[in-house]
Amino acid sequence: MHLFLLQMARFEWEFIQKSAKQMPANAVVVLPEYAATPFFLELLSLEPEKIDSQSQARLEQLQVLSAKHQIIFSVPLVFLKEQGLVKQIAFISPQDTQFYSQQRLVNFEHWGEASFFANAQPACLKTPPTLEIEGIKIAPLFGYELHFDGLWMALQEVGVEVVLISTASTFESFERWRCVLRSRAFCNSMLVARANRIGMVRKDQNIPWRFYGDSLIALPNGNIASSLEGDMGALHLEVHKAYLQAWAKEWDFRPPN
C-alpha cells in the first residue's frame, strides 16, 4: 500500500492534482486538519453557510480526483447540519465516501472547539470508519482524539493496522506530539501517519499561531520512518502487510491480522 501525507497551509489544488497524477492506484492520501477549510479562529467570523459551501466544493473536487486516479483521500472538513456546524473527516474512495464526526473536541480557553461545533461527544466512543487496502485495514482519526484510550481500544477490536491522523499542531508542542504519536504506534502495534498543517494564523493582533509541519510516519516499533520539516511537500511510504504482521507478532500487543 502506498501512503502519502500532503503537508500544506491551505487547500493547494494544483499541488494536490499534480501529486495525485504521480500516485499509483489504491494510494492513500492524508490531508492536514484545517487545510481544506480555514483555521478554527478564522471560522469564528464566517457565516455557517459559507463554511459549508466551501467544504462541499472541496469534497466534490476530491471525489472527482479519487475516481479519476483510483486513490483514497482522508480530509477534514466542516459541514452545516440541522444541529449546527459539524467537524468531520471525509474518507473518500473511488466507490463511496464515508464520514467520521469528531467525538472529542478541544475545549481550551484559547481554542474552544467544543462550544463552537455541534458534534456529539458520546460517553461511549464509536469506532471510526475503516477501509481495507491490499489486505491492510486503515482508519482516520482527528489529532486531538489521539489522547483518548477508548478510541484506540475500538480500533484494536476491529483489527486496524494503520491510523491516519490529521492535525493542526502549533505552539511549543513539537516534541510532545512526537512522543505521543510514537507511543500510540508502539503500544498498539499500529503504523500511525500524521499529516500536520503549516503556515501562520494571526487573529486580532494576538500572538501568531505558527503550524510547524513535521508530518511523519511512526512505525509499530516506536521509530519514526520519515518526516517532513516545515515546508509544503509530500511524504511517501510504501507499507507492506508482512511487516505490520511481523511487528504485531514481535511485541504481542495485538493479534496479527
Side-chain angles (χ1 to χ4, degrees):
M1 181 185 79
H2 290 268
L3 179 60
F4 291 86
L5 310 181
L6 300 188
Q7 183 168 282
M8 60 188 79
R10 58 191 61 83
F11 194 75
E12 300 284 355
W13 181 233
E14 290 186 6
F15 169 62
I16 295 170
Q17 287 180 296
K18 184 178 179 180
S19 299
K21 288 179 182 178
Q22 302 173 30
M23 296 175 185
N26 290 326
V28 178
V29 187
V30 189
L31 272 64
E33 190 176 11
Y34 293 119
T37 68
F39 180 57
F40 172 68
L41 295 180
E42 299 167 309
L43 293 179
L44 296 175
S45 60
L46 296 177
E47 292 294 326
E49 291 78 10
K50 183 176 181 180
I51 297 169
D52 180 77
S53 176
Q54 185 186 66
S55 287
Q56 293 288 353
R58 302 303 190 217
L59 174 63
E60 291 171 11
Q61 286 176 293
L62 292 173
Q63 286 173 327
V64 170
L65 200 61
S66 171
K68 180 178 180 180
H69 296 290
Q70 296 295 295
I71 57 180
I72 294 91
F73 286 100
S74 178
V75 53
L77 294 165
V78 178
F79 295 103
L80 182 59
K81 308 292 185 181
E82 289 185 5
Q83 67 270 34
L85 290 170
V86 175
K87 196 176 173 201
Q88 295 184 307
I89 288 176
F91 206 23
I92 305 166
S93 75
Q95 292 74 37
D96 63 7
T97 300
Q98 301 181 74
F99 292 95
Y100 171 64
S101 297
Q102 187 169 348
Q103 300 179 77
R104 290 291 181 267
L105 296 165
V106 178
N107 195 27
F108 302 143
E109 184 177 346
H110 65 291
W111 193 339
E113 290 185 349
S115 61
F116 179 75
F117 293 112
N119 292 55
Q121 298 192 65
C124 184
L125 293 165
K126 300 178 181 178
T127 306
T130 63
L131 277 179
E132 192 167 307
I133 308 296
E134 298 177 10
I136 299 170
K137 186 170 281 192
I138 61 175
L141 210 61
F142 281 94
Y144 184 64
E145 295 181 313
L146 187 76
H147 303 89
F148 297 91
D149 293 339
L151 280 166
W152 292 91
M153 293 172 65
L155 294 172
Q156 285 265 19
E157 288 178 4
V158 297
V160 168
E161 297 163 285
V162 174
V163 183
L164 313 175
I165 307 280
S166 295
T167 65
S169 304
T170 184
F171 300 131
E172 304 301 318
S173 63
F174 182 96
E175 290 298 337
R176 182 172 72 249
W177 270 99
R178 279 202 159 208
C179 286
V180 71
L181 288 160
R182 292 173 64 187
S183 297
R184 286 301 190 190
F186 177 67
C187 292
N188 291 281
S189 291
M190 297 178 188
L191 185 149
V192 178
R194 184 272 285 264
N196 190 38
R197 193 185 191 276
I198 54 172
M200 184 185 77
V201 172
R202 184 189 291 271
K203 177 90 170 159
D204 300 329
Q205 304 304 312
N206 288 331
I207 297 172
W209 296 52
R210 299 182 188 277
F211 305 95
Y212 49 75
D214 193 41
S215 298
L216 60 82
I217 296 170
L219 299 175
N221 62 4
N223 293 333
I224 292 176
S226 191
S227 65
L228 292 172
E229 296 184 358
D231 297 323
M232 186 172 76
L235 181 63
H236 169 236
L237 181 71
E238 188 171 356
V239 183
H240 297 280
K241 173 79 173 183
Y243 287 117
L244 296 173
Q245 289 178 313
W247 276 315
K249 185 176 180 180
E250 180 179 359
W251 294 100
D252 202 29
F253 296 149
R254 69 167 178 84
N257 292 2

